[in-house]
Amino acid sequence: MVVGRVMRSLIVAPVMLAVAGAASIAAASGAAAQAYPSKPVRLVLPYSPGGIIDYVGRTVAQHLSTTLGQSVVAENRPGAGGITGTDTVARSAPDGYTIVIMDPAIVINPTLQPSMPYDLFKQLEVVSMISSSPEVVVVAPELPVKTMSELVAYAKANPGKLNFASAGIGTTPHLAGELFKQRTGVDATHVPYKSIGQSYPDMMSNKVQFAFSSIAGALPFTTDNRVRAIATTGLKRSEVYPDLQTVDESGLKGFEVDLWLGIFAPAGMPADVMSKLNEAMNKALKEPDLIKAFAKVGVTPRGTSPKDGAVFLKAEFDKWKKVIEDGKIKDN
Amino acid sequence: MEVFSNIALGFGVAATFQNILYCALGALLGTVVGVLPGIGPVTTVAMLLPISFTLEPTSALIMMAGIYYGAQYGGSTTAILINIPGEASSVITSLDGHKMARMGRAGPALGIAALGSFFAGCVATFVVSFGAPPLARMALQFGPAEYFSLMLCGLIAAIVLARGSIIKAIAMVVLGLLFGLAGSDVNSGIRRFTFGFQGLADGIEFVALSMAVYGIAEVAINLERKAGDVGVVGQVGRVFPSWADIRHCIPSVLRGTSLGSVLGVLPGGGALLASFAAYTLEKKVASHPRTFGEGDIRGVAAPESANNAGAQTSFIPMLTLGIPSNPTMALMIGALMVHGITPGPRVMTDRPDLFWGVVASMWIGNLMLVVLNLPMIGLWIRLVRMPYRMMFPAIVGFCCIGTYTINSNVTDVAVMAFFVVFGYLCLKLDCEPAPLILGFVLGPMMEEYLRRALLISRGDPMVFLSSPISVGFLVASALLLLVVAMPMIRARREEALAE
Amino acid sequence: MTIRAPKDFWSGLMFLTFAAVGLMAASGYSMGRGGRMGPGYFPLMLSIVLGVLGAILLLRSLVLTGEKVEPIQLRPLLTLVASVLIFGAMIPTLGLVISLSTVTLIAAFAGRDTRPKEAVMLSIVLTLLSVGIFVYALRLPLSVWPVF
């Protein structure tokens, strides 16, 4: 099948070339008049290929194409921790043909970065939240702790000895660690890596002792206990780790870190376009195939209305802003 | 022996009609994207990712692996023919490879690159079969301190690469390190050397730098020197390497293969270091090192074998530990997880068909690459006979598209323009770009490991002397430095005596 | 004072310039304290080393005799750089066809013996080929025609 597809595109290319000019002119002139969506929708993925966003984004694009009745094309626009891709969407026309999928970095960046090319709350709006997924707390196998409360006790007994890994400054694993330090008064050194995956060899050899990791990043190492998973960060238990307590259950009431994803569009879209897009999105999120595909990487679909999405966004913005300011994260 | 029954199992899986087809498709696609600028294995694998979800996981992985090592083959083709190394590991190949092409020996250069790679691929396949578990354990021994010492050793080796002035070579390495630091700093999140440009937030794009310095700056120099109706190559000699060529290269291929097999296992720069290290080693053991950089066929054979062996063994940490050595590997891990397979030590026992099937497919893929590439040589060398005045606008055009499409970032194109001027000056002033490139690629990693090591040791520099591996590399660095400095000191003394 | 080794002299000057830019930029970043090395430390050290090496080259060029720099011809270099910059300015809005044919056409005039008719032909062929390969076969996110 793949062979066919690739071969066909190789053979067809010259032919298509000949008609390309005519076709694209025709498409451009016809687009404006018809009802939305009359041409393909561009879904910008602001990270490099290969991560969760990429996978979830492509899955969403595929199902949204069906529910919207128009092809949705996923396109990677990586750079500057998601800012570059988000910025191109923030600057696009609010016509519903350019949308972006983003993670908590979209609310963290404005607080963390000294300058931003766009204003999150003025230039972008939520179409719908799409998913939610907890992080999992993993510890080095040599560390004699099996639960979250043991980790806190151990850390307090060994002040200044523990390191925790993250996927870089201001990433959710980093801020989750900071939140943990702030809630418990534990003293631990932050050791940033380029991605959480890179930290696992150092965790296996006990150079770093714990991390708040994405489930997808942790799975290869927790299934055979090369590192130990001790808790998940949702308010409900994770389906991937049903035996693990949540951090909330372990005593840190209300401690929640969510690696959510949402779809955003340039602000000022016509109301009918917004509602059509939101409906199609929520319909797609109920498809069994999509739910199954999400579950493989530990992600649960969660659709919202644009309004609820905006409320959630503001709450997340305030939550991480406080963690960043209390932890003086910008000062190093 | 169990290994043989495993290999037999692997060939049973890999030699099915379907898997051979995907293997061939991957290898072919890989070669194509390796030759074309602006699209590398990462992008290709990413584009095929959704399709791969519909395939059987073994077939999917076989195809992706084919793209990955096929691209290594393709990358050396452009490095040799038009001096555009698409990937860092081909930079070294262009040193002697392109010189050979200009001497009318593009055919033998391409031939030895293909044969050397094939040999290295075969050996590395066996290394993966026999040595995966112990090599994976070795990779786990490397913490931040060990990596830092390894990178330091690699940088000093880069100085040996230089043909001319040692001081200039060191300065170029240091300048490369500085260029490499541009962009967001992993440890603090601060953006360095971006001068306020949003487009530089992720640093200087490697492709923009290498295409500018090697591709376009070289064009500027060539246009000053020659008339436009001559090809890159004046005359074309033989199409295939002679027996004498091949015999001449055998020891180099062997050395390159062993270096590549070992270094390739280390995630983060291992495979790249392998090609540099192999070249350095050849230059050091050769009886007439002066021919290196002037179109010595061993200077093509060794790094090409090393980077292909490295590409193969970099699958070891991925398949046995679940640790990605590079972005392409990270994609493959993602693909496996979507199929419900968790990469890690259990893959070998839980899914032996997958593990051994992929290993066996590598051998088949390498065979196909040779079969595919050798006949192409005749076609390629006809291309370089094109009059230069038709050739160079094409080079410039492809460099532009290549650089832009990497990130769809206009800043990258502007950066390329800057480095054209810089590269031109370097060529005029006899400052060689190869050490700069190595510094550029290793710089950010080196700083990252240095700071991480010190962070974990709470600032105690003794951490670099606390493990035998790290000490070993530091000692090797010191020895290398001595080897480099000796001839210089001797020359100075002779000069002084002469006056 | 005479420059005896022009190649060394100018490369020394080049390295010194980069070292100066590096020093200026690095001094704006934190040096860090204790075990936590700041973002400014490594670039500062590198800039200093680069500066020292540049200075050695520069001073040495006044003493030891070395090679002359071949004369710089501005036409090829500037034409090539201009063509690249123009491509960068055009590609985001004007699409691949216009940008690529322009860049190859301008670049063609970097050579001495350019034949205009041939250059036009070449630029057309290259553009057609590239649109076919990059846009239709590889499906890279490039627009073919201008977008407004």
Side-chain angles (χ1 to χ4, degrees), chain B residues 19-40:
Chain B
N19 285 339
I20 288 187
L21 198 67
Y22 285 117
C23 184
L25 188 69
L28 180 68
L29 263 176
T31 312
V32 173
V33 300
V35 171
L36 291 172
I39 176 165

Side-chain angles (χ1 to χ4, degrees), chain B residues 2-92:
Chain B
E2 204 194 341
V3 175
F4 291 106
S5 65
N6 283 333
I7 292 177
L9 166 73
F11 276 101
V13 174
T16 58
F17 174 73
Q18 187 193 350
N19 285 339
I20 288 187
L21 198 67
Y22 285 117
C23 184
L25 188 69
L28 180 68
L29 263 176
T31 312
V32 173
V33 300
V35 171
L36 291 172
I39 176 165
V42 186
T43 328
T44 317
V45 170
M47 288 195 305
L48 290 176
L49 213 50
I51 303 173
S52 82
F53 296 151
T54 63
L55 297 178
E56 215 263 311
T58 310
S59 309
L61 200 62
I62 284 177
M63 181 171 75
M64 291 182 187
I67 293 172
Y68 178 66
Y69 53 72
Q72 306 278 338
Y73 268 76
S76 52
T77 306
T78 44
I80 290 170
L81 292 175
I82 45 178
N83 204 25
I84 300 180
E87 292 213 47
S89 55
S90 326
V91 165
I92 293 301

Side-chain angles (χ1 to χ4, degrees), chain B residues 29-364:
Chain B
L29 263 176
T31 312
V32 173
V33 300
V35 171
L36 291 172
I39 176 165
V42 186
T43 328
T44 317
V45 170
M47 288 195 305
L48 290 176
L49 213 50
I51 303 173
S52 82
F53 296 151
T54 63
L55 297 178
E56 215 263 311
T58 310
S59 309
L61 200 62
I62 284 177
M63 181 171 75
M64 291 182 187
I67 293 172
Y68 178 66
Y69 53 72
Q72 306 278 338
Y73 268 76
S76 52
T77 306
T78 44
I80 290 170
L81 292 175
I82 45 178
N83 204 25
I84 300 180
E87 292 213 47
S89 55
S90 326
V91 165
I92 293 301
T93 309
S94 73
L95 288 181
D96 281 273
H98 186 62
K99 281 274 161 53
M100 280 181 74
R102 287 167 133 201
M103 288 153 59
R105 284 174 41 84
L110 289 168
I112 208 74
L115 291 173
S117 297
F118 174 66
F119 176 80
C122 295
V123 172
T125 304
F126 276 92
V127 172
V128 177
S129 323
F130 286 92
L135 282 169
R137 272 197 297 279
M138 177 196 90
L140 271 185
Q141 297 292 311
F142 275 70
E146 286 78 9
Y147 272 115
F148 171 78
S149 305
L150 169 68
M151 310 249 143
L152 188 71
C153 195
L155 281 183
I156 291 174
I159 299 166
V160 183
L161 290 176
R163 271 171 302 148
S165 154
I166 303 282
I167 298 184
K168 279 184 188 168
I170 302 176
M172 288 299 268
V173 169
V174 176
L175 189 56
L177 288 168
L178 268 176
F179 285 151
L181 296 184
S184 302
D185 169 34
V186 179
N187 278 276
S188 67
I190 283 176
R191 290 180 187 168
R192 295 182 292 185
F193 301 123
T194 58
F195 306 105
F197 291 109
Q198 177 78 27
L200 279 174
D202 292 318
I204 294 165
E205 171 59 47
F206 171 79
V207 172
L209 173 67
S210 79
M211 285 193 169
V213 171
Y214 283 95
I216 305 182
E218 169 99 3
V219 167
I221 294 280
N222 285 343
L223 288 178
E224 292 183 356
R225 287 182 191 156
K226 69 167 141 211
D229 31 334
V230 197
V232 174
V233 183
Q235 80 288 6
V236 170
R238 46 187 307 137
V239 175
F240 294 108
S242 65
W243 278 116
D245 284 337
I246 293 175
R247 260 203 311 275
H248 193 45
C249 284
I250 288 175
S252 312
V253 169
L254 288 174
R255 283 188 288 260
T257 304
S258 15
L259 264 176
S261 301
V262 176
L263 287 174
V265 181
L266 300 172
L272 165 70
L273 271 178
S275 69
F276 280 84
Y279 189 87
T280 309
L281 182 68
E282 284 318 303
K283 207 169 159 181
K284 275 293 142 197
V285 301
S287 45
H288 301 287
R290 292 223 164 263
T291 54
F292 279 88
E294 301 296 338
D296 193 308
I297 194 163
R298 290 169 298 174
V300 178
E304 273 303 303
S305 326
N307 77 31
N308 207 49
Q312 226 83 282
T313 55
S314 62
F315 278 86
I316 293 180
M318 195 271 273
L319 286 171
T320 61
L321 298 174
I323 298 166
S325 325
N326 54 50
T328 322
M329 297 286 162
L331 280 173
M332 291 188 217
I333 290 182
L336 284 178
M337 287 185 64
V338 169
H339 280 294
I341 297 165
T342 323
R346 284 226 211 133
V347 171
M348 271 172 101
T349 44
D350 292 356
R351 291 295 304 265
D353 57 320
L354 177 108
F355 183 88
W356 296 104
V358 171
V359 172
S361 84
M362 289 180 190
W363 188 82
I364 298 179

Side-chain angles (χ1 to χ4, degrees), chain A residues 1-3 5-7 10 49-51 54-55 58-59 75-81 83-84 87 113 115-117 160-163 168-169 188-195 197-198 200-202 204-205 207-208 215-217 219-221 223-226 293 296-297 329-330 332, chain B residues 21-22 25 28-29 42-43 46-51 53-55 63 139-144 146 184-191 198 201-202 320-324 327 330-331 333-334 337-340 342-346 404 406-409 444-445 448-449 452 455-456 458:
Chain A
M1 194 188 80
V2 187
V3 190
R5 206 175 291 180
V6 175
M7 283 308 204
L10 287 176
D54 196 61
Y55 174 70
R58 285 177 193 279
T59 313
E75 179 188 318
N76 294 91
R77 282 298 288 274
I83 296 177
T84 309
D87 185 39
Q113 295 300 337
S115 68
M116 290 290 288
K161 293 254 174 70
L162 296 192
N163 301 314
I169 299 282
T189 304
H190 172 225
V191 181
Y193 288 78
K194 274 209 185 104
S195 72
Q198 289 185 355
Y200 280 95
D202 285 352
M204 283 188 260
S205 53
K207 289 190 181 71
V208 291
I215 288 183
L219 265 176
F221 304 92
T223 41
D224 50 9
N225 288 317
R226 286 181 295 155
K296 283 178 179 165
V297 288
I329 285 162
K330 285 173 81 175
N332 44 39
Chain B
L21 198 67
Y22 285 117
L25 188 69
L28 180 68
L29 263 176
V42 186
T43 328
M47 288 195 305
L48 290 176
L49 213 50
I51 303 173
F53 296 151
T54 63
L55 297 178
M63 181 171 75
L140 271 185
Q141 297 292 311
F142 275 70
E146 286 78 9
S184 302
D185 169 34
V186 179
N187 278 276
S188 67
I190 283 176
R191 290 180 187 168
Q198 177 78 27
D202 292 318
T320 61
L321 298 174
I323 298 166
L331 280 173
I333 290 182
M337 287 185 64
V338 169
H339 280 294
T342 323
R346 284 226 211 133
Y404 180 70
I406 298 279
N407 303 312
S408 310
N409 185 347
M445 286 196 255
E448 201 185 315
Y449 288 123
R452 190 174 297 142
L455 199 58
I456 292 174
R458 303 288 184 267

Side-chain angles (χ1 to χ4, degrees), chain B residues 327-408:
Chain B
T328 322
M329 297 286 162
L331 280 173
M332 291 188 217
I333 290 182
L336 284 178
M337 287 185 64
V338 169
H339 280 294
I341 297 165
T342 323
R346 284 226 211 133
V347 171
M348 271 172 101
T349 44
D350 292 356
R351 291 295 304 265
D353 57 320
L354 177 108
F355 183 88
W356 296 104
V358 171
V359 172
S361 84
M362 289 180 190
W363 188 82
I364 298 179
N366 273 288
L367 183 67
M368 286 188 198
L369 280 169
V370 161
V371 174
L372 207 74
N373 277 281
L374 285 181
M376 292 284 281
I377 293 176
L379 203 80
W380 288 125
I381 56 180
R382 215 166 299 156
L383 196 74
V384 282
R385 278 168 64 194
M386 233 166 89
Y388 200 65
R389 63 166 193 279
M390 299 181 70
M391 190 78 185
F392 78 83
I395 295 180
V396 175
F398 278 131
C399 286
C400 284
I401 298 182
T403 298
Y404 180 70
T405 49
I406 298 279
N407 303 312
S408 310

Side-chain angles (χ1 to χ4, degrees), chain A residues 31 34-41 64-65 67-72 95-97 273 276-277 280:
Chain A
Q34 292 152 26
Y36 179 82
S38 60
K39 61 176 186 181
V41 174
L64 194 56
S65 301
T67 53
L68 200 58
Q70 184 53 263
S71 69
V72 177
D95 54 7
Y97 291 107
V273 173
K276 195 153 192 185
L277 206 51

